[in-house]
């Protein structure tokens, strides 16, 4: 398993000024010379520099105290998460997987070599604790397709546990000495910029590794990415944002970052809903096949997410029961069920992210955005076209809620409320896409749909919890254990569903009142 470290640093142009005396920085008791390290790093990327375009760096470095492979993801200006792996001759497979959503089928190979003489200083407080590491780096950059550059920079990296505000104190000292912050966020970015004119391979946006088999010629091309103007611009901006979310969340899902699976699943649903809601804008002949793959991906991701939600809900319910009402090893059985499901689901999700179907889906989304299947109404002003789509989605929600309210409690009502919840999500996502164009009416619809979605979601969670409790009860009974506690929890969930159904008429009245389309 790779080590992950949060790197917080600032870079400065050194010029001919050198490093000033930093003992005057508040909190610094001593500055310790740690000597000069000779670093030699090869930076890997695709031929069209897809990682660099996303501000990702993948390098193999020798020399210094942390020789090995380093993969860095941007978090915020001056903040990156660094994943370290031991030195090897080829890119470690687990690091290659973390950039697969960017790289797809393209080959990773060395593109830049950076050799640095690093003169290191440690800033210590009165107890000898490390506050930050300051280095003066004399850099020789070589683009492997041609071109070299040289420069000297000063880097200040915060030590673990140090207040980030300490960097402001160092910054004040360095600026007073005449140094200025670097214009480049990283050495690699500077190397690429300063050697670009000599490169033989031009840098460009990633091209799909697999284009759609029979992509029709489009009569209506999208305008360059910028401020949306037409209805098509607004819809494509939302599609682009969700495509970007899929690509960016991929590494987090692979690493098991909390909530990442849920966020990726939401992005797939937003895309699929957008294709359905705005069929007058995007040709369904092109988007329907993509929607099928998005539905498949959402279902695969749901295996893990649904397990997480149910486990958390049932644990909470169980913890609220007095000990006297917990008969048998209910906690142990629930924990075993949750852990077994999570382990298996996560393994399946990571396999899905390596599958040909998933990678082709990403390629197809790229191709769709590069040459969008716009219909005639895409060129129209957004107000009329987008409002009509929102009204249609809201009408479907209205019909399903009205039907559910007319049904008696039971399976048919449960199914109808679940369908209403799905249509509520679609209406919400459509309103999100239309928000920049329509303003307050769309924003109000988003709020109303969130409110309704929350209520209907609690109802569906109760339906799923009761199903799971019945299954666990049957297993416990077969093992000779008491099913008493499972019955209590089942009754509690029934009551929660009854409360939701009782609240629905008033909530729906409020939603209709707050919706002005």
């Amino acid at each position: 398993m790779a080590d992950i470290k949060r790197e917080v640093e600032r870079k400065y142009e050194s010029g001919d000024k050198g490093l000033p005396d930093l003992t005057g920085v508040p909190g610094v008791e001593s500055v310790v010379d740690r000597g000069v390290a000779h670093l030699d790093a090869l930076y890997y990327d695709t031929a069209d520099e897809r990682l660099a375009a996303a501000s990702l760096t993948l390098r193999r470095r020798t020399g210094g105290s942390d020789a090995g492979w380093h993969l860095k993801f941007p978090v915020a200006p001056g903040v990156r998460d660094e994943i370290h792996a031991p030195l090897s001759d080829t890119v470690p497979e687990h690091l290659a997987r973390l950039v697969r959503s960017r790289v797809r089928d393209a080959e990773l190979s060395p593109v830049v070599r950076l050799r640095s003489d690093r003169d290191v200083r440690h800033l210590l407080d009165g107890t000898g604790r490390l506050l930050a590491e300051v280095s003066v780096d004399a850099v020789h950059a070589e683009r492997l397709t041609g071109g070299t550059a040289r420069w000297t920079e000063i880097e200040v990296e915060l030590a673990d546990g140090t207040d980030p505000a300490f960097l402001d104190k160092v910054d004040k000292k360095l600026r007073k000495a005449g140094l200025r912050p670097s214009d480049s966020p990283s050495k690699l970015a500077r190397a690429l910029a300063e050697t670009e004119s000599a490169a033989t391979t031009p840098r460009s946006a990633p091209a799909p590794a697999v284009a759609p088999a029979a992509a029709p010629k489009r009569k209506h091309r999208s305008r360059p990415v910028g401020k949306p103007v037409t209805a098509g611009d607004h819809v494509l901006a939302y599609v682009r944002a969700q495509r970007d979310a899929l690509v960016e969340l991929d590494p987090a899902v692979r690493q098991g970052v909390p909530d990442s699976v849920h966020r990726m699943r939401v992005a797939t649903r937003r895309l699929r809903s957008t294709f359905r809601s705005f069929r007058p804008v995007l040709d369904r002949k092109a988007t329907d096949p993509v929607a099928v793959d998005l539905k498949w991906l959402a279902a695969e991701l749901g295996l893990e997410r649904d397990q997480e939600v149910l486990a958390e809900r049932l644990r909470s319910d169980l913890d609220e029961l007095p000990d006297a009402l917990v008969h048998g090893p209910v906690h142990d059985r629930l924990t075993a069920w949750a852990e077994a499901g999570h382990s298996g689901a996560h393994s399946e999700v990571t396999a899905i992210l390596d599958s040909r179907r998933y990678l082709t889906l990403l390629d197809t989304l790229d191709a769709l955005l590069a040459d969008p299947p716009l219909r005639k109404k895409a060129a129209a002003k957004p107000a009329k076209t987008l409002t009509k789509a929102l009204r249609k989605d809201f009408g479907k929600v209205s019909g399903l809620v009205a039907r559910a309210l007319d049904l008696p409690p039971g399976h048919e009502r449960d199914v109808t409320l679940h369908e209403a919840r799905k249509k509520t999500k679609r209406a919400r996502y459509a309103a999100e896409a239309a928000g920049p164009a329509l303003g307050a009416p769309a924003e109000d619809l988003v709020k109303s749909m969130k409110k309704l979605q929350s209520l209907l979601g609690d109802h569906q969670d109760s339906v799923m919890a009761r199903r799971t409790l019945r299954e666990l009860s049957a297993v416990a009974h077969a093992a000779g254990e008491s099913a008493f506690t499972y019955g209590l929890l089942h009754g509690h969930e029934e009551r929660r569903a009854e409360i939701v159904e009782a609240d629905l008429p008033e909530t729906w009245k409020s939603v209709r009142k707050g919706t002005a389309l």
Side-chain angles (χ1 to χ4, degrees), residues 177-454:
L179 300 179
R180 64 180 180 83
S182 174
D183 293 330
S184 297
S186 67
K187 290 181 175 66
L188 175 62
R190 181 165 183 172
L192 291 171
E194 296 193 9
T195 63
E196 187 169 19
S197 61
T200 59
T201 303
R203 183 172 174 178
S204 62
V210 180
K217 293 183 178 180
R218 313 294 187 206
K219 293 183 179 180
H220 305 283
R221 298 270 180 167
S222 65
R223 67 181 67 249
V225 177
K227 185 176 180 180
V229 176
T230 66
D233 291 340
H234 283 278
V235 173
L236 288 175
Y238 194 71
V239 171
R240 186 174 294 106
Q242 305 317 313
R243 185 279 312 270
D244 291 347
L246 285 180
V247 172
E248 291 166 6
L249 285 165
D250 180 292
V253 171
R254 292 176 186 272
Q255 296 177 88
V257 174
D259 203 42
S260 59
V261 170
H262 171 61
R263 291 164 61 201
M264 179 179 263
R265 192 182 187 191
V266 168
T268 66
R269 284 174 166 171
R270 282 175 166 148
L271 279 167
R272 184 164 168 255
S273 293
T274 300
F275 293 153
R276 287 179 173 268
S277 295
F278 298 108
R279 282 173 173 168
V281 174
L282 296 174
D283 189 346
R284 65 179 299 176
K285 292 179 181 177
T287 60
D288 278 1
V290 186
V292 170
D293 285 339
L294 289 167
K295 182 178 181 180
W296 159 78
L297 179 58
E300 296 293 344
L301 293 172
L303 295 175
E304 182 171 7
R305 172 61 181 173
D306 292 344
Q307 186 86 354
E308 290 176 355
V309 171
L310 271 179
E312 182 179 348
R313 185 182 182 100
L314 293 176
R315 284 196 190 98
S316 177
D317 290 348
L318 184 59
D319 289 343
E320 291 178 1
L321 289 180
D323 291 343
L325 298 181
V326 180
H327 294 188
V330 184
H331 284 96
D332 292 342
R333 187 167 293 283
L334 178 57
T335 298
W337 169 81
E339 291 178 350
H342 174 78
S343 175
H346 185 72
S347 177
E348 291 180 14
V349 166
T350 53
I352 288 299
L353 298 186
D354 286 329
S355 70
R356 171 53 45 200
R357 186 174 183 180
Y358 166 73
L359 296 174
T360 300
L361 170 60
L362 296 183
D363 289 334
T364 304
L365 288 170
D366 287 347
L368 186 145
L369 285 165
D371 189 13
L374 299 175
R375 300 182 66 189
K376 186 176 180 179
K377 289 187 178 180
K381 292 182 179 180
K384 183 177 180 180
T385 299
L386 301 186
T387 298
K388 185 176 181 180
L390 298 192
R391 286 173 177 165
K392 184 176 181 180
D393 281 348
F394 184 74
K396 291 179 179 178
V397 174
S398 181
L400 285 166
V401 171
R403 181 186 173 201
L405 291 174
D406 287 340
L407 290 169
H411 176 70
E412 189 176 355
R413 174 184 268 194
D414 291 345
V415 171
T416 304
L417 288 175
H418 183 44
E419 287 300 313
R421 180 194 180 205
K422 291 191 289 185
K423 294 299 187 293
T424 299
K425 288 182 180 181
R426 183 189 300 178
R428 170 189 168 185
Y429 299 151
E432 288 176 351
L438 304 183
E443 293 167 3
D444 290 343
L445 182 59
V446 170
K447 293 177 183 177
S448 295
M449 293 299 94
K450 279 185 177 180
K451 182 178 181 180
L452 182 60
Q453 180 184 329
S454 177

Side-chain angles (χ1 to χ4, degrees), residues 8 124 133 144 226 251 268 302 375 401 426 431 453 472 484 510:
V8 183
L124 309 179
E133 179 177 286
L144 300 185
T268 66
R375 300 182 66 189
V401 171
R426 183 189 300 178
Q453 180 184 329
L472 291 174
F484 173 78
S510 173

Side-chain angles (χ1 to χ4, degrees), residues 451-470:
K451 182 178 181 180
L452 182 60
Q453 180 184 329
S454 177
L455 188 71
L456 297 178
D458 192 34
H459 186 275
Q460 178 62 15
D461 288 347
S462 174
V463 171
M464 298 304 296
R466 280 176 276 159
R467 178 187 300 176
T468 300
L469 286 167
R470 289 193 294 271

